[in-house]
Amino acid sequence: MISPRARLTRQLAAFAITFVALTVVTLGWFGAQTVRPDCVVAISRLADGTGHARPDAEGRASTEKELADRAYQQAVDSGRCEPPRARWEQWVD
């Protein structure tokens, strides 16, 4: 028969191993996320009198996020900003 103390020790060990494994997996997932280094870009958007975006030359109205993403990519391409990288790379800098 297994003593209650040994059972409790096994349960605590199993809990600790599970906790450590989940922590490692969570930190690995979080660290692998792509982030953008700080970079200042300027965007402008034309709007009509009601605040709705006006279409561009192609007839498409871009959102502010799309405009910001495009401006950031242009800044990266021209060398004014650093490209996005994994979060863990910022931890070791």
Side-chain angles (χ1 to χ4, degrees), residues 36 41-44 56 58 60-77 80:
R36 293 179 178 176
V41 295
I43 61 170
S44 64
D56 59 9
E58 299 167 355
R60 185 171 172 274
S62 298
T63 65
E64 289 183 19
K65 182 175 180 351
E66 291 171 335
L67 292 172
D69 289 343
R70 190 177 315 137
Y72 174 75
Q73 189 59 47
Q74 289 172 351
V76 168
D77 293 342
R80 290 180 287 139

Side-chain angles (χ1 to χ4, degrees), residues 26-88:
T26 301
L27 282 175
W29 172 82
F30 185 72
Q33 299 298 309
T34 302
V35 293
R36 293 179 178 176
D38 290 336
C39 180
V40 177
V41 295
I43 61 170
S44 64
R45 178 178 72 132
L46 295 177
D48 60 13
T50 61
H52 294 95
R54 302 220 21 176
D56 59 9
E58 299 167 355
R60 185 171 172 274
S62 298
T63 65
E64 289 183 19
K65 182 175 180 351
E66 291 171 335
L67 292 172
D69 289 343
R70 190 177 315 137
Y72 174 75
Q73 189 59 47
Q74 289 172 351
V76 168
D77 293 342
S78 68
R80 290 180 287 139
C81 295
E82 294 180 30
R85 57 187 179 163
R87 184 175 276 126
W88 68 268

